[in-house]
Amino acid sequence: MKRKIVLLPLDERPCNAGFPQKLFGSEQLEILLPPCLGQKKKPADGQALEAFLLSQCRDANGLVLSMDMLLYGGLLPSRVHNLEAPVVRQRMELVRQLKKKFPDLVIYAFQCIMRCPAYSSSDEEPDYYGQWGAQIHQSGDVKHRSMLGLCSSSALEAAFRDIPEDALEDYLNRRAFNLGFNKDTLELVRDGVIDFLVVPQDDSARYGYTALDQQEVRSCVIDMHLQSRVLMYPGADEVALTLLSRMVLSFEKKCPSVYLKYAATEAVHVIPAYEDRTLGETVKCHLLAAGCTAADTAAEADFILAIDCPAGDMKESVMQPVRNGEYCVERNLTEFVLYLQRWVQRGKPVAVCDNAYANGGDLELIDLMDRLHLLDKVAGYAGWNTSANTLGTAIAQGVCCLVFGNDRRQKDFLMLRYVEDVGYCSVVRRYITEHRLEEMGMDYFNVRDQQGAMSREVRDRLGQFIQRQLPSLAGHIELTQVKMPWRRMFEADLQVRWVP
């Protein structure tokens, strides 16, 4: 019998609205999303979302629900909205209605704690963040450290001195507003309305406003005794894949065991870029949230999660090749790839989590895998954005391989990851940003059209990348579409097919 899962994604970007259907949609499973999800800072229509949920959850087996989409209309609207509390509270009440109307509906939800990026940009934040963002972030960092006795009162005073009072007041009011609804969502878990909740940390750090809010939410989780039903960890754009993994495995009554193979012994102690804790601790949470468990040995595991990570400070993908001790001495990439080859030859599914760099795949890893003809033989690969985004995506591919088999859809998604994570994020985006943007009359945050001169430029250069740097796959990859969904360089919407 074909099952149906309704998904209310974090926003309309391909990673949130496209990846779930590409990876999980199958003859056995329908993944259904709303037809209209807003556009960047423009929120989705709340009434349309309500009508969609009431209609489609009637015959659904499960609901994977972004509370940020439901309450605010999307991830970016959650940071810039001017909604009144009664409006948001009414939207939250819909979740109780759904559970009451459809008591057998399994509801897994996720809700971000509002981020506080360390740089000044209004692209995804309120307008004033473009001028004062770095200072606002620093004020939170210093305030948190001051509370812990780690900095002086003079440093605290200096951190707040130059920030306009109205900008800081607005920002802190927004945080307080959203934090209140983070706590209200926990009551839905306590009351059995939401069966499982993830509280992801988007662009997090050990100190600052986000970390302080996280402490408050964690205290509520403990006070309500929800530790086994609420997990809080770094991530955001991969969480729908994680919760779909958990839901599918619950339907199948499976709990896969996963063996963790690291390229560097010290990788478990690394705090990845944009995150607030060690990789080893984050991996535990991701496995648990996805419905998996860690295996003691590779032989007994259902699949291997192979984690490529340096032994120390994680660099940006645009900086590669990095040839310091943390990448070349304390990380043994040759042993890592030969290990993967051995288990692939034995028929063990291997999902590769490429966390060597932030915001793009590891070109050296891909070259080694290509030369050993492993690229099309692994069960999964991811190497995009943050460590947590990559981690959740790779785990989901491993789960799908176990449940659905390594079929054509899985191959399509695998090829997409190589073209997007390595080709676009690590090679093409960097080249265009450094050499072509200015002469094309564009900038990083404005490429004018979703499908125009820039999408054609990206498509041409991705074709060159496939031929030059993925030679073992070059005859098996068909790139059918390139779009720039938010009309900026950071992400691209690619359609890729595996050609047998």
Side-chain angles (χ1 to χ4, degrees):
M1 180 183 71
K2 187 170 186 176
R3 292 190 173 97
K4 173 182 172 182
I5 297 177
V6 174
L7 169 63
L8 200 63
L10 190 58
D11 59 35
E12 82 285 1
R13 284 175 298 159
C15 57
N16 290 311
F19 289 7
Q21 286 184 317
K22 290 178 185 294
L23 190 53
F24 284 88
S26 64
E27 293 181 359
Q28 304 103 300
L29 181 64
E30 179 185 12
I31 307 295
L32 191 66
L33 284 77
C36 184
L37 291 167
Q39 173 67 27
K40 202 173 180 180
K41 287 184 176 180
K42 180 183 177 182
D45 185 306
Q47 290 183 328
L49 293 180
E50 178 179 350
F52 168 81
L53 290 172
L54 288 170
S55 170
Q56 296 301 330
C57 288
R58 186 179 306 277
D59 61 346
N61 301 96
L63 168 64
V64 173
L65 175 64
S66 164
M67 295 299 293
D68 295 295
M69 174 61 76
L70 178 67
L71 300 184
Y72 311 114
L75 178 61
L76 269 57
S78 76
R79 303 169 188 163
V80 301
H81 70 86
N82 292 299
L83 296 167
E84 298 292 335
V87 174
V88 180
R89 196 164 289 114
Q90 183 179 2
R91 293 177 178 181
M92 179 170 279
E93 194 62 27
L94 175 62
V95 189
R96 291 188 186 273
Q97 295 177 34
L98 290 170
K99 196 69 168 184
K100 186 174 181 179
K101 282 178 174 286
F102 317 119
D104 294 331
L105 181 71
V106 179
I107 301 178
Y108 293 163
F110 59 109
Q111 184 178 25
C112 295
I113 291 177
M114 187 173 161
R115 76 173 190 170
C116 185
Y119 49 86
S120 295
S121 171
S122 61
D123 187 54
E124 299 186 14
E125 319 296 328
D127 289 344
Y128 54 78
Y129 216 90
Q131 184 173 358
W132 303 104
Q135 291 91 329
I136 290 173
H137 171 86
Q138 181 65 15
S139 71
D141 180 89
V142 173
K143 177 182 177 180
H144 192 175
R145 291 177 186 270
S146 176
M147 293 167 63
L148 298 171
L150 299 177
C151 68
S152 65
S153 58
S154 59
L156 180 63
E157 181 182 347
F160 285 87
R161 183 179 300 135
D162 297 329
I163 305 172
E165 186 175 339
D166 58 343
L168 184 62
E169 181 180 9
D170 179 83
Y171 184 76
L172 295 180
N173 285 341
R174 290 180 180 281
R175 295 202 67 90
F177 186 98
N178 285 16
L179 178 61
F181 284 100
N182 284 118
K183 295 176 180 178
D184 289 347
T185 297
L186 296 178
E187 295 180 3
L188 296 178
V189 183
R190 179 198 62 195
D191 297 342
V193 177
I194 292 175
D195 298 285
F196 185 77
L197 175 70
V198 168
V199 183
Q201 309 299 294
D202 180 26
D203 282 6
S204 53
R206 282 195 163 184
Y207 303 104
Y209 293 121
T210 301
L212 288 170
D213 288 351
Q214 180 182 320
Q215 289 179 5
E216 288 200 43
V217 174
R218 183 181 294 109
S219 293
C220 291
V221 170
I222 294 171
D223 291 344
M224 294 182 187
H225 308 289
L226 299 177
Q227 296 95 319
S228 64
R229 295 163 59 197
V230 178
L231 292 180
M232 187 185 309
Y233 57 78
D237 291 330
E238 84 296 334
V239 179
L241 298 177
T242 299
L243 292 180
L244 285 169
S245 296
R246 185 184 185 91
M247 190 167 283
V248 166
L249 290 172
S250 72
F251 292 157
E252 298 290 329
K253 295 182 170 54
K254 293 181 178 179
C255 181
S257 59
V258 183
Y259 182 72
L260 306 174
K261 169 63 178 177
Y262 292 92
T265 303
E266 292 298 313
V268 293
H269 303 301
V270 170
I271 298 178
Y274 312 106
E275 298 185 7
D276 66 349
R277 67 198 71 184
T278 61
L279 177 60
E281 291 304 316
T282 300
V283 170
K284 292 178 187 177
C285 289
H286 276 257
L287 287 177
L288 188 59
C292 301
T293 187
D296 293 327
T297 66
E300 69 183 278
D302 292 300
F303 71 90
I304 294 170
L305 184 66
I307 303 173
D308 175 21
C309 182
D313 186 32
M314 183 181 292
K315 306 298 185 181
E316 294 287 331
S317 66
V318 295
M319 299 173 68
Q320 61 181 309
V322 176
R323 290 173 179 160
N324 61 20
E326 294 170 339
Y327 275 85
C328 295
V329 179
E330 294 297 333
R331 179 182 71 143
N332 193 327
L333 200 55
T334 300
E335 186 273 342
F336 179 75
V337 173
L338 292 176
Y339 181 94
L340 308 189
Q341 181 187 46
R342 185 163 68 251
W343 283 103
V344 165
Q345 290 173 343
R346 295 179 184 180
K348 180 78 69 175
V350 176
V352 179
C353 175
D354 185 356
N355 276 339
Y357 299 93
N359 290 308
D362 181 354
L363 294 170
E364 184 181 358
L365 170 67
I366 294 301
D367 180 67
L368 281 169
M369 291 178 65
D370 182 87
R371 291 175 185 278
L372 293 174
H373 296 276
L374 289 174
L375 292 175
D376 62 342
K377 297 179 176 61
V378 294
Y381 169 88
W384 63 290
N385 286 23
T386 68
S387 170
N389 294 154
T390 285
L391 182 58
T393 307
I395 292 172
Q397 290 175 82
V399 168
C400 283
C401 183
L402 290 180
V403 174
F404 304 117
N406 201 357
D407 59 12
R408 171 65 180 270
R409 294 178 65 91
Q410 309 301 316
K411 289 283 193 183
D412 287 348
F413 192 76
L414 179 62
M415 297 304 113
L416 172 62
R417 301 273 45 81
Y418 293 133
V419 177
E420 182 175 355
D421 301 358
V422 191
Y424 183 71
C425 294
S426 292
V427 178
V428 172
R429 181 172 62 192
R430 174 185 179 180
Y431 179 86
I432 291 175
T433 300
E434 294 177 355
H435 302 286
R436 295 284 292 138
L437 266 181
E438 186 174 350
E439 64 184 70
M440 293 177 73
M442 303 178 187
D443 64 56
Y444 194 89
F445 295 105
N446 183 10
V447 299
R448 299 201 189 108
D449 305 307
Q450 287 189 333
Q451 287 184 288
M454 182 54 70
S455 63
R456 292 191 292 272
E457 178 80 10
V458 170
R459 183 167 186 158
D460 289 345
R461 297 201 175 274
L462 283 175
Q464 295 172 25
F465 164 80
I466 292 168
Q467 293 298 320
R468 294 172 182 171
Q469 293 174 265
L470 300 177
S472 69
L473 299 179
H476 300 286
I477 294 177
E478 182 182 359
L479 177 60
T480 61
Q481 176 185 284
V482 176
K483 292 174 65 176
M484 314 306 288
W486 279 4
R487 298 177 176 87
R488 65 181 188 180
M489 288 301 299
F490 188 70
E491 61 275 291
D493 181 3
L494 311 179
Q495 300 296 328
V496 174
R497 292 179 63 249
W498 161 254
V499 179

